[in-house]
Every structure is written in C-alpha cells, then in structure tokens.
Amino acid sequence: MMTDSGTARIEMFEGRIRFARVARGLGVSLLAGGAMLFAAGCNQQPSADVVATVNGKPIMRAEMEKGYAAYSAQVAQQQQQQVQLSNEQADLGRLKVLDNLITNEIVEQRAAKMNLTATNEEVDAKLAEMKAPVTEEQFEQHMKAENLTLDDLKHDIRRSLTGNKLLNKEINSKITVTDADVSSYYNQHKAEYNLIEPQYRLAQIQVTSVPSDQAGNLQGSKATNDAEAKKKIQALKTRLDSGEDFGTLAMNFSERVETASSGGDMGFVTESQLHADPTIYAEITKLKPGQTTAIMPLLDAQTKKTMGYSIYKLVSKEPAGQRDLSDPIVQQAIRQQLQNDRSQLLKNAYFEMLRDQAKIVNYFAENLFKNATK
C-alpha cells in the first residue's frame, strides 16, 4: 500500500552518484517499449556495420554490442554468477537491446525537432552533480569498473536529459490529478489503507563472506571470506556511529545488489515478516526512526550458518489501523500512484505513435530471420 511505485524510469543520480547504464541495457531505460519492428521485403543493408536505420539514420553494430555487453553483465549480476548464454539467447538479447536503441533514436529525433535536445551546459551540470559526492580518483575507478569513457557517460547523460525533457513537455506537463481523483481512488481502495498489522520501513547494509565477481555497489567493494566480512562491517558500523550517512555508505559498500543502488532501502516490511527472525525483530522493534541496529549475523536459509552480516536502519514505522484520506502520507501516495499510472499509459501510447510515424529498417532482425529459415 505505502510502497513506492515500480514503474520503469531513468534515474540519474538524484543528489547521489549512481552509475546506471542509461538507455543501454535491458530494463534500465525509460525509453524502451513497443514491439520489435522490421520492414518486410528485401532491404539492402548499407554495410555490415549498420544493424538498423531510423528515418535513414544508422544504428551501428558497435553500439548494439556495447549495449549487449552491459545486458550480459546485468544477467550475470542478477544470477550472481557467470552465465553462458546460448546463441539463440544471445541474439534474443541483442534484438531487445537494438529495439531499445531504435526507440531511443526515435525519441531523440523527435526531441531535436522540438528543440528539446539537452545542451552542453545541462550535460556538464549533471556530470558535476554526479561527481560531487566522490573524489576524482573514486570517480575514475567507477568509470573503469563500468567500462565507460567520459564521452560514453556524457552521451548517456544527454540522452537521459533529452528524453526527460521531451516526456515532461509532451506528457507529464499535461497530466492533472485533482482532489476529486484522489478522493475517488481512496473510496475505491479504502481497504488497502487499513493496515492489519504494523509496518516498518527499513534500509540495510549487507556484507557477505561469499566470493562473487559482482560487488553490487559503487566502490566495487566485496568481502571474500568471513574475516574480511567482519572487518568490513565493523568499519562501516564505526563510520555510521560517527555520523556518516547510511544511504551513502549503503550505495558505496553494501553487497546486496537489489538495494545498494537505492541507499539500502528495503521498503516496508510487515511485523509478521519480521517475526520470521526473532533476533532481528527484537532489535528493530526497539529502534526509533533514524536509528540503526547493532551488527546482525546473516544466516543461510537452509544451513542456518553465518554467511555475512547486516546493519538495519528503521526509516519509519506505520502503526496498524485505518488510514484516513486526511492523512498527508495517504494523499501523497495516491496522488503519486495516479500520476505514475497515467504517465506510464501515455508514455507507452506515445512511443507506439512515434514508431508508427517513423521509417524503421531492422537489418539485424531481417538477417536473423533469413538465416534461420534458409
């Protein structure tokens, strides 16, 4: 009920550095969408280096392969191991990456026609914002870990800012959520705002002793055994106790891939879910919002052996009971939900409309089909 919306979007370092492969990999680009399109009939490919054209402008094989490399790394990170994809799986990944690139090119061309392309000054300002929380040396390390050049990063920033400017102009600025809309939604979903048990919004810093190629954090910091994990978590606890920001430390050092990039935010956890681990429940329920736990052992679900350590922060607590419409948190949650739902619907329709108006030739898709049906 009170959790953040999961709608896809580009987030470029909202006051904190996050090295996202904007508009490259699968599932990371707001601009991805629509079905795979390719022109029927025989299209003569300009050169083997061109995998598609959008209104005559080529998309190069090198860009597709770079996006595919990011996609492969993402798959490996999610599965926490190296993954050997079959030829068919690899080409399916390339098709999806290329579809993403095609949609981005369509959007960029539309933005250019409307004079909404991000300026050099806007790109430089965003770059400076990204670099602000870290040293120059750390910034260079992040770039190297992500296999990014400065030109690559600026290109990604420009594409992100340009897409956001277009969407804000064409869609978000035209969406209005009235008080009547909020009231109507609340009345239809009133039961969802009746919490049957308390909920706790938690954040976590996690360190594991399990060796892995993927650290999941900005620093690339990874413990490989229990001694390293203990040393690392104790150092982080000391920094927290000295007043350093929990979210910043989580992004830079937490080894939980799913939450590190969002500052360790786990969202809301119900009291019954906390009861699954009485030790953690006892620690968290005695906290006040903003406080953190002691170092807690991270146990393997099957063997119950210690496989790492965690520190939890209580962000907020929602008591059980009916939430009234007059509650500002309820109003904000509903307003944001309606805004997100309408925005996502219009974006999908908008991208399809732009695709219908564009001349797209997907040579890569054509060649795959021809070679498979010979």
Side-chain angles (χ1 to χ4, degrees), residues 46-65:
S47 86
D49 294 330
V50 176
V51 289
T53 59
V54 178
N55 297 320
K57 183 174 180 180
I59 296 176
M60 308 306 292
R61 183 176 298 275
E63 187 173 9
M64 180 183 73
E65 291 299 338

Side-chain angles (χ1 to χ4, degrees), residues 52 145-146 175 289 324 365:
E146 290 288 333
I175 297 175
D324 294 329

Side-chain angles (χ1 to χ4, degrees), residues 24-323:
R24 284 191 179 173
L26 286 182
V28 297
S29 173
L30 173 66
L31 308 182
M36 178 64 64
L37 303 179
F38 63 93
C42 180
N43 291 294
Q44 186 172 354
Q45 190 166 351
S47 86
D49 294 330
V50 176
V51 289
T53 59
V54 178
N55 297 320
K57 183 174 180 180
I59 296 176
M60 308 306 292
R61 183 176 298 275
E63 187 173 9
M64 180 183 73
E65 291 299 338
K66 185 178 287 188
Y68 174 71
Y71 161 63
S72 300
Q74 187 181 60
V75 171
Q77 186 177 47
Q78 289 172 346
Q79 299 191 17
Q80 296 186 338
Q81 61 180 353
Q82 290 296 327
V83 179
Q84 184 63 46
L85 299 177
S86 67
N87 291 337
E88 289 77 12
Q89 290 172 326
D91 282 338
L92 180 60
R94 289 184 174 92
L95 279 172
K96 292 180 178 179
V97 169
L98 181 54
D99 184 59
N100 196 28
L101 293 172
I102 288 171
T103 306
N104 283 319
E105 180 59 38
I106 293 170
V107 170
E108 287 187 45
Q109 291 183 20
R110 174 76 170 191
K113 287 183 179 179
M114 299 180 67
N115 294 319
L116 293 174
T117 302
T119 65
N120 291 337
E121 291 75 17
E122 290 170 330
V123 172
D124 290 342
K126 177 57 71 173
L127 180 61
E129 178 185 328
M130 292 162 55
K131 296 173 69 172
V134 297
T135 66
E136 188 65 31
E137 181 180 1
Q138 288 173 327
F139 181 81
E140 294 297 333
Q141 290 175 349
H142 300 327
M143 295 281 285
K144 184 177 181 180
E146 290 288 333
N147 196 28
L148 279 172
T149 66
L150 187 59
D151 286 342
D152 287 336
L153 184 56
K154 285 187 174 182
H155 180 266
D156 286 350
I157 293 172
R158 191 182 306 278
R159 174 172 283 172
S160 172
L161 294 176
T162 297
N164 286 337
K165 288 172 72 174
L166 179 67
L167 294 177
N168 286 334
K169 174 74 173 180
E170 293 277 74
I171 295 173
N172 294 331
S173 65
K174 300 175 182 178
I175 297 175
T176 301
V177 178
T178 67
D179 291 342
D181 293 333
V182 174
S183 179
S184 176
Y185 184 93
Y186 176 81
N187 291 332
Q188 293 174 25
H189 301 83
K190 190 172 182 179
E192 297 176 15
Y193 297 91
N194 184 14
L195 302 185
I196 61 175
E197 59 179 323
Q199 293 187 353
Y200 301 80
R201 185 162 190 171
L202 303 177
Q204 178 192 40
I205 294 175
Q206 177 176 293
V207 176
T208 71
S209 56
V210 180
S212 172
D213 292 334
Q214 301 294 332
N217 54 62
L218 294 178
Q219 294 289 339
S221 172
K222 179 72 187 78
T224 59
N225 55 53
D226 187 65
E228 289 183 6
K230 283 182 178 178
K231 183 177 180 181
K232 177 178 174 180
I233 198 70
Q234 185 58 62
L236 291 172
K237 177 61 175 171
T238 300
R239 294 175 68 170
L240 286 171
D241 291 343
S242 68
E244 291 197 42
D245 179 66
F246 190 98
T248 301
L249 290 176
M251 283 189 292
N252 281 284
F253 299 104
S254 179
E255 297 173 18
R256 185 173 178 181
V257 176
E258 301 88 347
T259 62
S261 63
S262 59
D265 190 358
M266 300 172 62
F268 280 98
V269 179
T270 64
E271 190 164 73
S272 58
Q273 290 173 316
L274 283 180
H275 274 299
D277 190 320
T279 303
I280 293 179
Y281 173 78
E283 281 289 318
I284 288 175
T285 52
K286 69 183 182 183
L287 297 178
K288 295 179 181 179
Q291 292 182 332
T292 60
T293 66
I295 296 172
M296 309 291 294
L298 183 67
L299 303 180
D300 183 275
Q302 295 180 335
T303 66
K304 303 302 180 182
K305 293 182 178 179
T306 299
M307 57 179 294
Y309 305 92
S310 290
I311 301 171
Y312 297 91
K313 176 182 178 181
L314 178 61
V315 180
S316 63
K317 178 181 177 181
E318 290 290 327
Q322 180 68 50
R323 297 295 181 274

